[in-house]
Amino acid sequence: MLDDPKAIEKVDRQGMIETLESLPEQCEEALKNASQIRIGYPKPSRIIITGMGGSAIGGDLMRDWLKKDLRVPIEVYRGYELPVYADKKTLVIGVSYSGNTEETLRAFSGAIKKGCMCVGITSGGKLEELCKKNSIPYIKLPGGYLPRFAIAHLFLSMVVVFEKMRLCSDEQHIEREIKDAMQVLEQVRGQCKRQTPAASNISKQIAENVNGKIPIIYTFGPFKGAAKRIKSEFNENAKTPCFWAYIPELNHNEILGWESDLSGKFFVILVRDKKKETKEYVTRLEFTKRVVEKKAGLMELEVVGRTKLAKILSLMYIGAFASVYLAVLKGVDPAPTRLIDELKEELK
Ligand code: PA5
């Protein structure tokens, strides 16, 4: 079924797969769009990225990627009230694609009141109004995307803010990683697009493997944000429960769940980076794999690329394709997010 473009079109009525296939071009556009911003703040003592769902996840990817390059702590905050330690020396990046997400608006307004150094990233809405009213620098994103499909803009706009504020210790290294990642994304697009048959298309294979099961993504190291993102994509695009956990933590609790008779309902995608795995991680990953395989299906998903950013983004990209292919197999339109919208209406 996944090798029949007509069958895909029939379910994916708003063309989400096409949007995914244009991700590399969106990345170029995003860097250009964001480069307009002017930020006059001094160096912060900490960074808080605040947002929800598809708008927040770029923050996790930033943290995973740059944790070792940043001179200051970075955290992603999802909620209404910022931590008390957010102060005048804190850079708060408020991210909301729609610009109207309640929690993000409350947290960002709180940051303005506390005198934090604020930057906005949005396509409009109340967040844009707040930025304009308070003379806060912001990046205006193009409209017309669903928030999770605007990830190129959401993520790379943050990268540009970091670059403009010279927050990383080795800027040339950052530039090189971005260039490399863009090339790898093109390569992954070729491997995962509609026209590439399931026999050689890893995203279609994932979708076929998890169809009828509850997917779980097991990950480690700098791939936590990417795993969380894939989980959310399975939830939002394929409308299926999905979970994620990471090694080593899952070896201290979740692993015991595999003794249960319910285990057969799951299918595990085990993220691997075989050239970089240290001895203890190999032992943990292999042990976990043996435990799972006794009870459920499992496939390894090797990250693609040489640099950290390329690996993170390509993993996320493979997962995004897989989530839309799974939606197609299940016959559900990947675009609508009815329950999210209903709750947002109720909160108004
Ligand atoms: O992907 C989605 O549609 C959601 O997860 C949204 O990103 C989330 O509800 C927050 O909305 P926004 O991104 O507009 O702030």
Side-chain angles (χ1 to χ4, degrees), residues 216-221 223-224 227 243-259 268-271 281 283-292 298:
I216 303 184
I217 300 122
Y218 278 171
T219 193
F220 66 99
F223 308 117
K224 298 189 186 82
F243 302 93
W244 77 281
Y246 67 92
I247 287 171
E249 178 64 15
L250 76 85
N251 293 148
H252 297 272
N253 34 62
E254 178 150 332
I255 196 155
L256 295 169
W258 291 98
E259 290 183 6
V268 169
I269 299 159
L270 182 66
V271 175
Y281 270 90
T283 305
R284 289 179 180 282
L285 286 154
E286 292 295 334
F287 183 90
T288 306
K289 185 176 156 186
R290 285 197 305 275
V291 169
V292 172
L298 176 145

Side-chain angles (χ1 to χ4, degrees), residues 115-318:
C116 303
M117 296 183 257
C118 295
V119 175
I121 299 178
T122 182
S123 71
K126 292 187 185 135
L127 185 56
E128 182 176 25
E129 281 169 26
L130 262 181
C131 291
K132 280 188 174 158
K133 192 169 146 220
N134 293 282
S135 306
I136 288 166
Y138 73 100
I139 295 173
K140 167 111 179 164
L141 306 179
Y145 289 98
L146 293 172
R148 62 193 179 281
F149 285 91
I151 185 69
H153 281 278
L154 292 162
F155 173 70
L156 288 168
S157 295
M158 281 181 220
V159 174
V160 171
V161 172
F162 277 47
E163 280 185 320
K164 296 260 174 176
M165 292 188 69
R166 300 182 175 278
L167 298 177
C168 300
S169 48
D170 184 350
E171 283 164 30
Q172 281 173 358
H173 169 70
I174 299 298
E175 281 296 322
R176 279 196 304 275
E177 289 232 352
I178 294 174
K179 222 168 141 197
D180 181 55
M182 297 305 121
Q183 281 168 4
V184 173
L185 286 181
E186 289 210 24
Q187 183 189 324
V188 171
R189 165 173 55 193
Q191 288 161 358
C192 300
K193 64 185 181 188
R194 274 166 294 180
Q195 291 83 350
T196 305
S200 52
N201 185 322
I202 184 76
S203 296
K204 289 183 181 176
Q205 290 165 14
I206 293 172
E208 279 163 359
N209 281 333
V210 303
N211 192 19
K213 301 275 173 188
I214 300 169
I216 303 184
I217 300 122
Y218 278 171
T219 193
F220 66 99
F223 308 117
K224 298 189 186 82
K228 186 176 169 62
R229 163 72 175 186
I230 297 174
K231 172 234 181 275
S232 306
E233 295 262 82
F234 276 123
N235 297 149
E236 291 183 60
N237 296 335
K239 281 71 168 171
T240 183
C242 179
F243 302 93
W244 77 281
Y246 67 92
I247 287 171
E249 178 64 15
L250 76 85
N251 293 148
H252 297 272
N253 34 62
E254 178 150 332
I255 196 155
L256 295 169
W258 291 98
E259 290 183 6
S260 158
D261 292 338
L262 300 170
S263 308
K265 294 186 188 306
F266 299 96
F267 188 96
V268 169
I269 299 159
L270 182 66
V271 175
R272 302 292 306 247
D273 184 7
K274 287 190 176 152
K275 285 199 187 122
K276 286 271 171 158
E277 288 161 9
T278 56
K279 198 167 152 279
E280 60 273 24
Y281 270 90
V282 173
T283 305
R284 289 179 180 282
L285 286 154
E286 292 295 334
F287 183 90
T288 306
K289 185 176 156 186
R290 285 197 305 275
V291 169
V292 172
E293 276 178 337
K294 281 191 193 134
K295 291 288 180 80
L298 176 145
M299 72 183 280
E300 293 192 346
L301 178 56
E302 180 70 27
V303 293
V304 186
R306 279 180 304 112
T307 58
K308 204 200 272 184
L309 183 63
K311 289 175 185 176
I312 292 172
L313 294 186
S314 59
L315 178 61
M316 184 195 82
Y317 198 23
I318 291 169

Side-chain angles (χ1 to χ4, degrees), residues 4-218:
D4 173 5
K6 290 248 155 45
I8 296 180
E9 261 170 48
K10 215 170 140 200
V11 181
D12 179 23
R13 288 191 282 276
Q14 298 184 47
M16 293 300 106
I17 205 88
E18 267 175 86
T19 307
L20 274 184
E21 284 172 355
S22 66
L23 189 84
E25 286 73 31
Q26 291 164 39
C27 289
E28 275 174 37
E29 195 190 310
L31 288 170
K32 211 163 134 203
N33 178 63
S35 66
Q36 318 288 332
I37 192 168
R38 299 279 167 269
I39 307 170
Y41 298 135
K43 292 256 169 4
S45 60
R46 68 171 65 244
I47 303 163
I48 300 179
I49 296 166
T50 183
M52 300 302 300
S55 287
I57 196 73
D60 296 278
L61 304 179
M62 290 292 284
R63 187 205 50 218
D64 288 349
W65 175 37
L66 295 176
K67 209 160 58 185
K68 291 188 183 150
D69 287 282
L70 281 173
R71 298 186 180 104
V72 291
I74 174 171
E75 74 180 281
V76 184
Y77 178 74
R78 296 169 163 92
Y80 287 97
E81 310 297 337
L82 283 184
V84 277
Y85 51 75
D87 60 11
K88 290 187 171 57
K89 289 185 179 162
T90 306
L91 169 67
V92 176
I93 308 181
V95 192
S96 169
Y97 183 73
S98 64
N100 290 323
T101 297
E102 186 177 89
E103 303 92 311
T104 312
L105 288 170
R106 181 97 58 88
F108 199 65
S109 302
I112 297 171
K113 279 199 198 99
K114 281 162 164 272
C116 303
M117 296 183 257
C118 295
V119 175
I121 299 178
T122 182
S123 71
K126 292 187 185 135
L127 185 56
E128 182 176 25
E129 281 169 26
L130 262 181
C131 291
K132 280 188 174 158
K133 192 169 146 220
N134 293 282
S135 306
I136 288 166
Y138 73 100
I139 295 173
K140 167 111 179 164
L141 306 179
Y145 289 98
L146 293 172
R148 62 193 179 281
F149 285 91
I151 185 69
H153 281 278
L154 292 162
F155 173 70
L156 288 168
S157 295
M158 281 181 220
V159 174
V160 171
V161 172
F162 277 47
E163 280 185 320
K164 296 260 174 176
M165 292 188 69
R166 300 182 175 278
L167 298 177
C168 300
S169 48
D170 184 350
E171 283 164 30
Q172 281 173 358
H173 169 70
I174 299 298
E175 281 296 322
R176 279 196 304 275
E177 289 232 352
I178 294 174
K179 222 168 141 197
D180 181 55
M182 297 305 121
Q183 281 168 4
V184 173
L185 286 181
E186 289 210 24
Q187 183 189 324
V188 171
R189 165 173 55 193
Q191 288 161 358
C192 300
K193 64 185 181 188
R194 274 166 294 180
Q195 291 83 350
T196 305
S200 52
N201 185 322
I202 184 76
S203 296
K204 289 183 181 176
Q205 290 165 14
I206 293 172
E208 279 163 359
N209 281 333
V210 303
N211 192 19
K213 301 275 173 188
I214 300 169
I216 303 184
I217 300 122
Y218 278 171

